[in-house]
Amino acid sequence: MLDQPVRISAEAQEQIHHTFKTQKIPADYGLRVGIRGGGCGTSWLLGFDTPGPSDEVYNVEGVRVIIDKKHLLYVLGIEVGFEMSEEGRGFTVDKG
């Protein structure tokens, strides 16, 4: 069993905790990390969700992370980050 299949930067941790607090997201939710689509149209899936029957739940740097077992191989080793730029602000994924 993996302890921490993904990494979360300090900035992203801060934003996740801030979002949970300000949006009053229930404690049974976590950060879902996965992929959407397939082939050339694959994109990253990041959002707040509750675990389902095909999910694994991890505690990564104090953040509850939910990963569908089918997505685990694709997300293994990524780092979830957060950046602010002139274009806006948001979470990022680095394949490392």
Side-chain angles (χ1 to χ4, degrees):
M1 178 107 166
L2 298 165
D3 282 344
Q4 298 191 345
V6 299
R7 296 181 318 278
I8 302 175
S9 73
E11 296 84 4
Q13 291 172 42
E14 190 177 309
Q15 285 299 317
I16 291 164
H17 291 302
H18 177 75
T19 301
F20 264 88
K21 205 176 291 181
T22 60
Q23 301 299 315
K24 296 180 174 60
I25 297 173
D28 57 338
Y29 276 66
L31 178 69
R32 177 171 296 281
V33 179
I35 56 169
R36 182 181 300 138
C40 295
T42 302
S43 61
W44 295 106
L45 174 66
L46 293 173
F48 298 105
D49 199 1
T50 55
S54 66
D55 293 324
E56 293 285 343
V57 180
Y58 303 91
N59 182 344
V60 179
E61 307 292 340
V63 174
R64 188 174 192 208
V65 174
I66 303 166
I67 302 173
D68 187 308
K69 291 175 191 167
K70 295 178 294 208
H71 296 196
L72 189 57
L73 188 61
Y74 301 102
V75 303
L76 204 56
I78 67 164
E79 181 176 55
V80 176
F82 185 85
E83 67 179 27
M84 295 171 72
S85 67
E86 290 180 13
E87 291 84 41
R89 47 185 263 158
F91 292 98
T92 61
V93 174
D94 182 11
K95 193 68 172 139

